[in-house]
Amino acid sequence: QALRERGCRSEEQLREVLREIEAEVQRRKQLIHQSVERRAIISKCYKPKHPEVYTLQDSFLAPEFLEIVRFCTSPGADLQGLLCYLESFSDKRIYRLPVFTEEFCQAFVDELENFEQSDMPKGRPNTMNNYGVLLNELGMDEPFLTPLRERFLRPITALLYPELGGACLDSHKAFVVKYSLHEDLDLSSHYDNAEVTLNVSLGKEFTEGNLYFGDFNQDPTPVPQYIEVEHVAARGLLHRGGQIHGALPIASGERWNLIVWMRSSAIRNQLCPMCNRKPELVEAEGFGDGFTEALAEEVAQTVNLCALG
């Protein structure tokens, strides 16, 4: 019925679309195994230029960011107090805050460029971004991204997005995207496979390419109101994963952004954010897509095939 509503009229058209869907499902199932294979090769063969950036240190973080975290973890911390530290945009619950030092951003981008120029196998972030790096394949999940999420970001998101599981964001998918004139120029309108997203501008020098934000996908309006938000080096934007957004074309230079999709299994186990149905799961390596299911008396990470990109 859904396919007929989208224009499939004949039985042959239906069969062709179903064949394409099945092929895409099989491709997405293979993504998990291919990523594991790439990570093993990278771990064995790649020599980092800046090995220090792979393990999170407080010195990488902006002093203002550490002050925000100290407030959020103090007795009596509340939303109104937190908002005094943040830059807010309209009523869409989009917030800008300092995250890293500029020195860290420069070293991190230099490391990413070194990896890009190597002969290591590379998996791209998703079907919308052709240039970038999956950070779990560089081995950055446990030493860098998990402590960033658990120690520093979760106290903030607990106050900003309590109804989205902000206090119990228990997994993530993190990647870096790259935009330049001869590669990806922009990013079309979409929403993320996340409860909460962090988007940090790492550099380098560029013009234009602002982000734009529309409606929350679960609360659309007849005439969406869009706002533009500029990138500011070393600063991040926090927004709801379901907020419709995109990136305008870059006009010159090169831009790198760190994207962290943060997920709450307590929320998404009830309803898949991509198809709005009870998730049907298969077992996966690592965090998968952030769903959990009790298997053999232990909690295993699982993946929702409708959400893989």
Side-chain angles (χ1 to χ4, degrees):
Q1 180 62 31
L3 293 177
R4 292 188 188 280
E5 290 174 356
R6 286 163 173 78
C8 287
R9 295 290 178 260
S10 69
E11 291 301 316
E12 181 56 36
Q13 285 178 325
L14 284 172
R15 285 194 292 270
E16 179 60 28
V17 170
L18 289 172
R19 282 194 293 267
E20 291 177 6
I21 292 172
E22 178 59 28
E24 180 64 12
V25 168
Q26 295 306 316
R27 184 190 72 83
R28 294 186 179 205
K29 285 182 177 180
Q30 291 303 312
L31 290 178
I32 302 163
H33 308 298
Q34 292 165 358
S35 181
V36 171
E37 292 172 357
R38 286 192 298 267
R39 178 173 178 177
I41 295 170
I42 293 166
S43 176
K44 180 179 179 180
C45 303
Y46 176 62
K47 182 174 177 58
K49 183 177 182 180
H50 297 283
E52 70 279 3
V53 304
Y54 286 73
T55 301
L56 183 65
Q57 302 175 37
D58 286 11
S59 61
F60 296 166
L61 303 170
E64 302 93 331
F65 179 70
L66 294 172
E67 184 179 350
I68 292 170
V69 176
R70 279 194 293 271
F71 169 78
C72 292
T73 54
S74 65
D78 61 8
L79 175 61
Q80 291 307 310
L82 171 58
L83 293 179
C84 295
Y85 291 90
L86 308 178
E87 184 178 357
S88 302
F89 295 91
S90 75
D91 59 350
K92 298 181 185 293
R93 301 174 70 189
I94 303 163
Y95 307 100
R96 181 151 60 204
L97 70 168
V99 179
F100 298 118
T101 66
E102 291 190 10
E103 293 76 15
F104 167 76
C105 290
Q106 291 168 3
F108 189 31
V109 170
D110 196 37
E111 174 60 34
L112 294 167
E113 289 180 321
N114 185 69
F115 176 72
E116 281 283 283
Q117 293 161 10
S118 75
D119 59 359
M120 291 295 102
K122 300 170 182 71
R124 296 312 176 189
N126 50 62
T127 54
M128 300 182 73
N129 292 101
N130 297 305
Y131 298 91
V133 180
L134 287 163
L135 295 181
N136 70 308
E137 295 185 3
L138 285 181
M140 294 188 73
D141 265 351
E142 291 184 8
F144 190 105
L145 294 157
T146 293
L148 178 66
R149 169 175 50 81
E150 293 182 346
R151 290 179 52 204
F152 298 102
L153 293 171
R154 202 157 58 189
I156 300 172
T157 58
L159 293 176
L160 292 178
Y161 308 107
E163 81 288 0
L164 296 176
C168 52
L169 297 171
D170 50 2
S171 69
H172 61 262
K173 176 179 179 178
F175 50 93
V176 173
V177 292
K178 176 188 175 186
Y179 297 88
S180 68
L181 288 181
H182 302 296
E183 298 176 333
D184 286 338
L185 282 175
D186 55 15
L187 186 63
S188 59
S189 182
H190 67 285
Y191 57 90
D192 298 336
N193 183 9
E195 274 62 67
V196 180
T197 295
L198 173 69
N199 182 335
V200 184
S201 178
L202 301 173
K204 303 165 60 174
E205 296 294 328
F206 60 91
T207 58
E208 303 297 336
N210 288 349
L211 297 173
Y212 62 88
F213 292 87
D215 287 343
F216 188 55
N217 70 331
Q218 295 180 11
D219 188 25
T221 59
V223 182
Q225 298 295 313
Y226 287 90
I227 63 168
E228 280 190 39
V229 181
E230 293 184 4
H231 300 274
V232 178
R235 290 179 177 258
L237 290 172
L238 281 169
H239 64 83
R240 295 173 292 180
Q243 197 80 43
I244 302 295
H245 62 286
L248 295 171
I250 195 169
S252 67
E254 186 175 294
R255 175 165 67 82
W256 293 76
N257 286 66
L258 167 65
I259 312 296
V260 185
W261 289 351
M262 293 179 281
R263 295 150 168 176
S264 169
S265 60
I267 299 296
R268 59 182 40 224
N269 282 354
Q270 305 304 312
L271 195 70
C272 171
M274 306 306 286
C275 66
N276 289 318
R277 293 198 298 261
K278 180 73 176 178
E280 298 178 15
L281 306 176
V282 296
E283 194 169 359
E285 297 281 346
F287 288 133
D289 270 334
F291 301 90
T292 55
E293 183 177 58
L295 294 174
E297 299 183 355
E298 65 180 29
V299 175
Q301 297 296 335
T302 52
V303 61
N304 183 351
L305 290 175
C306 79
L308 275 169

